[in-house]
């Protein structure tokens, strides 16, 4: 099996994932998964598609991720891994789709407008 390359995005985080046959090692930015994502919640988010398809020990995953915060990066990695699993085996779609893992979350930060304090907050209005 050759290496499968997929991209996942969330907010401003972009994750490039390279999935190949292996023993279940996940490397994020040349660091071990447990060293990069220290909280169990984020580690679970990254491993979720592998656990649902029962492939925790069958693939080695190399990840390059940049931008955003740690949660956005973890969810970007999750989307990329999900896309890679579906491209390798179309039957995984039936397992992953009901959990909402194939959906790209479109929510982004709204831009700040000129003449305002923030995106929606205005400067204080004084009538007189």
């Amino acid at each position: 099996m050759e290496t499968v390359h997929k991209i996942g995005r969330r907010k401003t985080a972009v994750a490039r994932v390279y999935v190949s046959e292996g023993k279940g090692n996940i490397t994020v930015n040349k660091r071990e998964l447990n060293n990069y994502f220290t909280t169990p919640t984020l580690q679970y988010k990254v491993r979720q598609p592998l656990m649902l398809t029962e492939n925790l020990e069958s693939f080695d995953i190399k990840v390059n991720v940049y931008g955003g915060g740690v949660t956005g990066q973890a969810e970007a990695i999750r989307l990329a891994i999900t896309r890679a699993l579906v491209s390798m085996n179309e039957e995984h779609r039936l397992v992953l789709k009901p959990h909402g893992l194939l959906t790209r979350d479109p929510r982004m930060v709204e831009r700040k407008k000129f003449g305002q304090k923030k995106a929606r907050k205005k400067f204080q209005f004084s009538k007189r």
Side-chain angles (χ1 to χ4, degrees), residues 2-3 6 15 25 27 37 41 51 54 60 72 81 84 86 94 98 126:
E2 75 286 345
T3 304
K6 290 291 174 186
N25 299 324
T27 311
F37 294 116
T41 310
M51 289 192 293
E54 294 162 7
D60 279 346
I81 291 172
V86 169
L94 302 171
S126 172

Side-chain angles (χ1 to χ4, degrees), residues 23-35:
K23 296 182 171 71
N25 299 324
I26 302 176
T27 311
V28 181
N29 289 351
K30 298 180 183 169
R31 286 162 60 186
E32 195 61 41
L33 174 72
N34 297 343
N35 294 338

Side-chain angles (χ1 to χ4, degrees), residues 39-101:
T39 61
T41 310
L42 296 175
Q43 293 169 16
Y44 170 77
K45 278 186 180 181
V46 172
R47 290 192 181 111
Q48 191 179 6
L50 297 167
M51 289 192 293
L52 290 171
T53 56
E54 294 162 7
N55 285 322
L56 263 178
E57 258 100 69
S58 46
F59 297 114
D60 279 346
I61 300 173
K62 210 176 131 233
V63 182
N64 294 331
V65 65
Y66 60 91
V70 283
T71 306
Q73 287 187 351
E75 292 181 13
I77 293 169
R78 177 173 70 178
L79 177 62
I81 291 172
T82 304
R83 286 177 171 171
L85 290 173
V86 169
S87 73
M88 285 189 281
N89 186 353
E90 200 61 38
E91 293 171 12
H92 291 324
R93 177 180 289 274
L94 302 171
V95 179
L96 298 169
K97 186 103 168 111
H99 291 276
L101 299 183

